[in-house]
Amino acid sequence: MNLIIFGPPGAGKGTQSKHIVAKYNLFQLSTGEILRDEIKNKTNLGGEISSIMNSGSLVSDEIVSKLIEKFISKLENKNRFIFDGYPRNISQAENLGYLLEKYNQKIDLVLKLSVSLDLIKKRISGRYVCSICGKIYNEFFNPAPINADCCASKFLQKRTDDTLDIAVKRFQTYEKNTEPLIEFYKKLNLLKVVNGESPITQINEEISDLIDSNEGWL
Ligand code: AP5
């Protein structure tokens, strides 16, 4: 099965994707993480995209498309994708459809997480990510365990685009570019909307129920 999860910045896409990956043995394709890796590894592309990401805008469709095809083409990932943060506009959605068809796959379910801007501001300002294992925490809602070996406070990092100003710009970018996907996937009868303001475990159960009740998995 192949899933898409989308929603505004801080909606919980990464948090939920990690649960779904563990439960259903899927492969998380997060374009945000792939792009951040380019910056971390100081590639030519990393230099080009860092200022775009820190402005709250989208990286060009062409760059993102090239990056994702190498994952979609891998046989071991076939029909095991959760696309987290891709597509982010109609052109990317059309491109994803084309790529999946090229590799004899399709989208089975699209999950949209809904969260208000006020809550997003708090989630983003409180977010920390473990630089060792990638686990996502939040100082207000989901603090890292005390005395943990891996996620000890010295390993917890803030993202450079997690300031309030940039978060608001990312939200505006989402409204303008990504919200049209709601109608796009509704027409294809693939969309399910989930209340992203519920507790993490409750959302996780709701998503599991949607996955388990979806017919037509390969
Ligand atoms: P990306 O990394 O995808 O960022 P985003 O879409 O803004 O989403 P976030 O990662 O901020 O949030 P999330 O929804 O994953 O929330 P999380 O689970 O962490 O993209 C970054 C940038 O890369 C973009 O701005 C763009 O420039 C570029 N980019 C990426 N993809 C692109 C594409 N396809 N095309 C072009 N450019 C692209 O949760 C947030 C916090 O809330 C955490 O602290 C978490 O612990 C907490 N939390 C989560 N759920 C709950 C809950 N239910 N209750 C309480 N707290 C919760």
Side-chain angles (χ1 to χ4, degrees), residues 8-15 31-32 35-36 52-53 57-59 64 85-86 88 92 123-124 127 136-138 141-142 159 161 170 196 198-200 203:
K13 304 181 290 293
T15 301
T31 42
L35 293 167
R36 276 187 290 282
I52 302 172
M53 290 174 75
S57 305
L58 294 182
V59 173
V64 181
Y86 188 89
R88 264 180 143 96
Q92 291 187 3
R123 285 201 186 164
I124 285 187
R127 171 166 51 194
I136 305 165
Y137 294 104
N138 194 289
F141 306 115
N142 178 28
R159 277 171 42 178
D161 61 347
R170 282 157 59 200
S198 307
I200 292 174
I203 298 171

Side-chain angles (χ1 to χ4, degrees), residues 16 70 96 106 136 183 195-196:
Q16 293 301 328
K70 65 177 183 223
L96 179 60
K106 65 179 174 59
I136 305 165
E183 282 308 311
N195 178 4

Side-chain angles (χ1 to χ4, degrees), residues 3-9 12-14 17 28-36 58-59 61 64 68 82-89 92-93 96 111 113 174 178 181 185:
L3 315 177
I4 292 173
I5 187 161
F6 79 99
K13 304 181 290 293
S17 294
Q28 181 188 4
L29 194 157
S30 158
T31 42
E33 283 182 20
I34 293 170
L35 293 167
R36 276 187 290 282
L58 294 182
V59 173
D61 293 346
V64 181
I68 66 159
I82 174 150
F83 294 98
D84 162 9
Y86 188 89
R88 264 180 143 96
N89 57 32
Q92 291 187 3
L96 179 60
L111 301 164
L113 292 177
Y174 166 81
T178 313
L181 293 181
Y185 286 117

Side-chain angles (χ1 to χ4, degrees), residues 182-194:
I182 296 172
E183 282 308 311
F184 184 91
Y185 286 117
K186 236 190 218 169
K187 280 190 191 140
L188 296 175
N189 212 15
L190 290 170
L191 185 80
K192 298 284 177 201
V193 179
V194 176

